[in-house]
Amino acid sequence: MDELLIKNITPNSQPEHTSTYQLKHYLREADWTLSRLFAFVFNAIIFLSLMTLSLISLGFELINILEYQEGLADISTIEIVFIVSLLVLLKRYWAYTAQTSFRWWNILASPLLWYGKFVLITWFCASFIVFGDFHEGTDHFQTVLIQGQSYSQLLSFTYILISLYIAVPSQSLIIKQGKADLQPAVSGSPEATQTKPEVENVQ
């Protein structure tokens, strides 16, 4: 009698259990997809914001270098040092990225993103001074702008050089051929042992 009841209950309960499991699976997949979509949107907004901030700031720095439109006579000693240092770091950056699987858009975007982060941090610190001026009725921010005009360009140059210096990719992205070229040959290792072609042995 009990076996008959079990046989009658089991076929009816199994489809219900399967449909519940499928519903939970679909809800979990939808929730996962939605969270990844939100993450992609926020990452895209942050990426575009940093790139825009970085490009605008670089544009202002270029205008400041050539502010009088007099060619080389327009460039100061600090700007000459900056340009020479920039060329050296660009050569270094290209030498590192050329050995990796970095795509061209990553090569261009990585230093710009770092520079945008530095500019954003500077703005964040300046916002505290502005908030303090509004709250206390002072003019510290205006004083900082007036007294720091001679140092703002130097600070921006420092940000650019540091961004280019630390933007080099990780060594884990170095392609295998690049790793073989970088590592010195060790005597007795398979890489250091050179064998003649098979054609020469078969004679």
Side-chain angles (χ1 to χ4, degrees):
M1 185 66 179
D2 294 337
E3 293 179 358
L4 182 61
L5 289 174
I6 293 173
K7 289 180 180 179
N8 292 333
I9 292 173
T10 303
N12 294 331
S13 61
Q14 187 173 1
E16 182 180 356
H17 175 72
T18 304
S19 61
T20 303
Y21 174 78
Q22 290 178 348
L23 179 61
K24 289 182 179 179
H25 175 72
Y26 291 143
L27 289 176
R28 184 165 57 249
E29 290 295 326
D31 179 60
W32 197 338
T33 303
L34 186 62
S35 63
R36 297 310 306 162
L37 179 61
F38 276 124
F40 173 78
V41 171
F42 285 128
N43 283 330
I45 292 174
I46 293 173
F47 175 81
L48 293 176
S49 300
L50 288 175
M51 290 293 290
T52 303
L53 182 61
S54 178
L55 291 174
I56 291 174
S57 181
L58 286 176
F60 277 122
E61 293 304 322
L62 182 61
I63 293 173
N64 288 333
I65 292 176
L66 304 174
E67 56 184 342
Y68 299 112
Q69 303 295 326
E70 295 181 0
L72 295 177
D74 217 4
I75 302 176
S76 64
T77 305
I78 295 178
E79 292 168 347
I80 292 175
V81 173
F82 165 72
I83 292 173
V84 173
S85 302
L86 181 65
L87 292 176
V88 172
L89 288 177
L90 280 173
K91 183 178 179 180
R92 170 185 176 271
Y93 182 68
W94 174 252
Y96 280 120
T97 54
Q99 301 169 4
T100 65
S101 56
F102 246 25
R103 305 296 182 185
W104 64 268
W105 56 84
N106 295 121
I107 294 175
L108 293 176
S110 183
L112 293 175
L113 288 176
W114 276 109
Y115 180 64
K117 292 175 184 178
F118 283 124
V119 176
L120 184 63
I121 291 173
T122 304
W123 282 18
F124 184 72
C125 295
S127 65
F128 277 101
I129 302 176
V130 174
F131 179 77
D133 287 342
F134 278 118
H135 182 70
E136 299 178 1
T138 57
D139 55 352
H140 295 306
F141 183 71
Q142 186 176 359
T143 304
V144 170
L145 286 180
I146 295 174
Q147 295 180 355
Q149 284 182 352
S150 57
Y151 299 102
S152 60
Q153 188 182 47
L154 182 60
L155 183 63
S156 298
F157 287 167
T158 305
Y159 285 162
I160 295 171
L161 297 178
I162 293 177
S163 300
L164 196 56
Y165 182 78
I166 65 178
V168 293
S170 173
Q171 288 187 353
S172 61
L173 297 176
I174 297 178
I175 55 180
K176 293 182 179 179
Q177 185 62 36
K179 288 183 178 180
D181 295 337
L182 289 176
Q183 294 176 353
V186 180
S187 59
S189 62
E191 293 80 5
T193 305
Q194 297 181 355
T195 58
K196 295 182 179 181
E198 295 182 359
V199 179
E200 296 182 4
N201 295 332
V202 182
Q203 286 183 353

